[in-house]
Amino acid sequence: MSADFESYEQDFAVLTADITGRIGKVPKLVGDEKKQMVANVEKQLEEARELLEQMELEVREIPPQSRGMYSSRMRSYKQEMGKLEADFKRSRIAYSDEVRNELLGDDGNSSENQ
């Protein structure tokens, strides 16, 4: 039973590491490359959510005396998932702010310009 859970854990770790790497690239991309990367990250985030669901199903099948350890691991995975989603959102916004600043000619030193 826990072998399945551990397999899901390994898949989740590999997937979240890849997502983290891609999230770091999003602000540096433009145009179609950025759109493609965003679509890829969204797809991977969905895969990670599905893995979490599978892991939750496995935890429900584990005998109650062993379930506590797995439940706490699930909480940490859910927190990690939330962090990834927040980081992804920030990476998309960071790019938007950079473009906005370029278009408006704002170099971030607005107090000096006044």
Side-chain angles (χ1 to χ4, degrees), residues 59-90:
V59 169
R60 290 180 190 160
E61 298 297 319
I62 294 173
Q65 62 271 21
S66 304
R67 198 175 297 160
M69 175 183 70
Y70 291 101
S71 295
S72 66
R73 285 156 74 175
M74 282 302 303
R75 279 191 296 277
S76 72
Y77 294 139
K78 288 179 183 179
Q79 288 174 342
E80 183 176 354
M81 189 69 200
K83 182 183 177 304
L84 282 174
E85 290 171 338
D87 289 348
F88 180 53
K89 184 176 180 181
R90 273 194 299 274

Side-chain angles (χ1 to χ4, degrees), residues 7-22:
S7 174
Y8 290 137
E9 281 182 311
Q10 290 173 353
D11 293 345
F12 186 76
V14 169
L15 188 57
T16 55
D18 191 35
I19 292 170
T20 300
R22 288 177 187 239

Side-chain angles (χ1 to χ4, degrees), residues 12-114:
F12 186 76
V14 169
L15 188 57
T16 55
D18 191 35
I19 292 170
T20 300
R22 288 177 187 239
I23 287 173
K25 294 177 184 177
V26 169
K28 299 173 182 108
L29 300 174
V30 293
D32 288 338
E33 286 182 329
K34 180 181 184 274
K35 288 178 187 175
Q36 184 65 38
M37 184 65 74
V38 166
N40 288 341
V41 172
E42 287 172 344
K43 182 180 175 188
Q44 286 184 307
L45 286 170
E46 182 58 34
E47 288 177 36
R49 284 185 212 101
E50 290 173 7
L51 267 175
L52 284 177
E53 288 176 19
Q54 290 296 322
M55 292 164 75
E56 282 182 325
L57 291 174
E58 288 296 321
V59 169
R60 290 180 190 160
E61 298 297 319
I62 294 173
Q65 62 271 21
S66 304
R67 198 175 297 160
M69 175 183 70
Y70 291 101
S71 295
S72 66
R73 285 156 74 175
M74 282 302 303
R75 279 191 296 277
S76 72
Y77 294 139
K78 288 179 183 179
Q79 288 174 342
E80 183 176 354
M81 189 69 200
K83 182 183 177 304
L84 282 174
E85 290 171 338
D87 289 348
F88 180 53
K89 184 176 180 181
R90 273 194 299 274
S91 75
R92 293 170 67 183
I93 292 170
Y95 172 77
S96 299
D97 288 347
E98 288 173 17
V99 170
R100 182 184 137 304
N101 291 341
E102 284 179 25
L103 291 173
L104 297 175
D106 183 12
D107 61 0
N109 298 323
S110 58
S111 61
E112 288 180 19
N113 293 339
Q114 293 175 356

